[in-house]
């Protein structure tokens, strides 16, 4: 699933193509908003929160999209038609066409109500104000969590933007055992700022950097030479692969809460050998956290629905 850095790169790409321009073509191929006509609207820009994209228009509306596992936005010439059956959104100006393919979420809401879509997320790790305003909140969330730190970093209600790649890379950089209880991590602030720095470097280079531990199971650690292993973290049925180095990230104590790596299921072992797909780009904008949907057909959630989240929604 795309993570904060790749979503931010996508937002910047959309801004270069659409910001300040009038939409001369617009198609939303999504059941709940299929009748919406965005032609004549000027695109103000695309902001992000965590893994969510918020394309704001001059009529006070926001087009909200989420890439989920396989989604992406592509920028093409002005005559692109988007004939692929996977195109869910087409936004065209006089000079550019943006195609949203295999999108996992799509909503059209008043900009003033963006909080209904992202209201339950923790602080955005890539937000400009994160060090001064969001960091303390995120640290407090981790301090009260009973989850292993790997799972807590993936839970978007604690902090928004991290996925399996930057969870693993951040823990490796700080030499933290992935199954340490989150509340027992000595310096959670440094861990979160490390994640932020790694992601910002990725944004700055324009492409994902080489991984130091993620997707390197069975290969020697780049730091100590120990064979990298893969375990899993997350709620039952929604486990994610966790790559780690037993030499650099040993368990410090025997914890009654399970400070050890669960063995990944067969499906995880087969998928973990490759790289994670769907990487494209969040920017630092203030709205608040998210709502997620588990099906391709989405609509705006009300406050009671936001509270009734299922376990899989913590990943978005």
């Amino acid at each position: 699933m795309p993570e904060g850095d790749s979503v931010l790169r996508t937002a910047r790409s959309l801004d270069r193509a659409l910001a300040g321009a009038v939409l001369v073509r617009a198609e939303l191929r999504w059941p709940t908003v299929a009748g919406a006509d965005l032609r004549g609207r000027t695109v103000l820009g695309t902001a992000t929160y965590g893994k969510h994209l918020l394309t704001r228009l001059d009529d006070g509306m926001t087009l909200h999209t989420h890439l989920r596992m396989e989604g992406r936005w592509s920028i093409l010439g002005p005559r692109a038609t988007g004939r692929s059956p996977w195109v869910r959104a087409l936004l065209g100006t006089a000079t550019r066409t943006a195609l949203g393919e295999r999108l996992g979420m799509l909503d059209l809401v008043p900009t003033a109500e963006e909080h209904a879509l992202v209201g339950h997320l923790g602080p955005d790790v890539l937000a400009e104000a994160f060090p001064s305003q969001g960091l303390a909140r995120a640290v407090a969330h981790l301090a009260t969590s009973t989850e292993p730190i790997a799972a807590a970093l993936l839970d978007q209600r604690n902090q928004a933007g991290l996925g399996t790649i930057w969870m693993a890379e951040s823990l490796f950089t700080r030499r933290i055992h992935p199954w340490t209880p989150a509340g027992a991590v000595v310096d959670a602030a440094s861990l979160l700022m490390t994640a932020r720095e790694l992601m910002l470097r990725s944004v700055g280079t324009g492409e994902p950097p080489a991984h130091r531990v993620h997707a390197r199971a069975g290969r020697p650690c780049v730091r100590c030479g120990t064979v990298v292993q893969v375990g899993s973290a997350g709620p039952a049925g929604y486990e994610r692969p966790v790559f780690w180095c037993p030499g650099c990230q040993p368990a410090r104590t025997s914890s009654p809460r399970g400070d050890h790596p669960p063995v990944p299921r067969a499906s995880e072992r087969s998928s973990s050998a490759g790289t994670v797909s769907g990487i494209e780009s969040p920017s630092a904008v203030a709205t608040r956290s998210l709502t997620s949907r588990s099906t391709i057909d989405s609509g705006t959630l009300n406050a009671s629905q936001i509270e009734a989240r299922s376990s899989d929604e913590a990943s978005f």
Side-chain angles (χ1 to χ4, degrees):
M1 177 182 294
E3 303 186 25
D5 59 319
S6 54
V7 176
L8 180 50
R9 289 196 300 271
T10 292
R12 291 180 176 179
S13 177
L14 287 170
D15 273 349
R16 288 191 294 269
L18 304 177
V22 176
L23 295 177
V24 297
R25 295 187 300 148
E27 298 177 25
L28 301 181
R29 302 170 187 175
W30 198 271
T32 56
V33 292
D37 185 359
L38 304 183
R39 290 174 299 176
R41 275 61 166 184
T42 297
V43 178
L44 301 180
T46 296
T48 65
Y49 196 100
K51 303 176 184 180
H52 295 251
L53 289 156
L54 304 164
T55 299
R56 295 166 177 160
L57 308 174
D58 68 343
D59 63 348
M61 300 296 288
T62 292
L63 178 66
H64 161 253
T65 57
H66 192 295
L67 305 178
R68 284 285 182 98
M69 293 299 295
E70 299 180 334
R72 67 174 184 172
W73 279 95
S74 301
I75 307 302
L76 303 172
R79 297 183 180 181
T81 59
R83 293 177 180 174
S84 166
W86 299 112
V87 172
R88 297 289 177 261
L90 182 154
L91 303 176
T93 70
T95 59
R96 294 286 188 274
T97 302
L99 297 180
E101 301 175 74
R102 297 178 183 266
L103 301 176
M105 301 181 193
L106 192 154
D107 302 278
L108 187 63
V109 301
T111 301
E113 298 178 12
E114 288 176 352
H115 62 276
L117 297 172
V118 295
H120 73 267
L121 290 176
D124 182 354
V125 174
L126 289 182
E128 291 183 10
F130 179 77
S132 60
Q133 299 179 19
L135 179 59
R137 280 177 53 210
V139 168
H141 290 165
L142 295 180
T144 58
S145 174
T146 60
E147 298 178 298
I149 185 60
L153 290 178
L154 294 175
D155 190 335
Q156 302 299 290
R157 295 168 295 186
N158 294 327
Q159 67 287 306
L162 274 72
T164 55
I165 296 175
W166 297 117
M167 169 271 291
E169 295 293 320
S170 302
L171 292 174
F172 176 78
T173 300
R174 302 297 304 177
R175 298 176 180 265
I176 297 173
H177 187 63
W179 293 274
T180 302
V185 172
V186 175
D187 192 353
S190 292
L191 172 62
L192 290 171
M193 289 303 292
T194 294
R196 172 182 166 84
E197 177 62 24
L198 292 173
M199 294 168 76
L200 286 175
R201 288 182 190 176
S202 171
V203 173
T205 61
E207 59 184 23
H211 303 144
R212 301 179 70 201
V213 71
H214 180 77
R216 289 179 55 86
R219 301 170 65 183
C221 171
V222 297
R223 188 161 52 197
C224 74
T226 303
V227 175
V228 172
Q229 296 185 15
V230 59
S232 65
Y238 299 97
E239 298 92 341
R240 301 292 181 84
V242 180
F243 297 88
W244 64 296
C245 172
C248 295
Q249 301 168 264
R252 300 302 179 187
T253 60
S254 57
S255 168
R257 285 185 284 183
D259 187 8
H260 63 279
V263 177
R265 297 176 300 174
S267 60
E268 293 171 338
R269 289 195 296 269
S270 62
S271 63
S272 63
T275 58
V276 171
S277 63
I279 302 246
E280 300 275 288
S281 320
S283 83
V285 105
T287 53
R288 288 198 198 178
S289 327
L290 120 153
T291 73
S292 68
R293 294 166 228 10
S294 59
T295 64
I296 197 167
D297 186 0
S298 63
T300 303
L301 300 187
N302 59 39
S304 63
Q305 289 171 306
I306 291 175
E307 292 302 317
R309 298 186 298 273
S310 60
S311 59
D312 66 316
E313 292 176 329
S315 299
F316 305 113

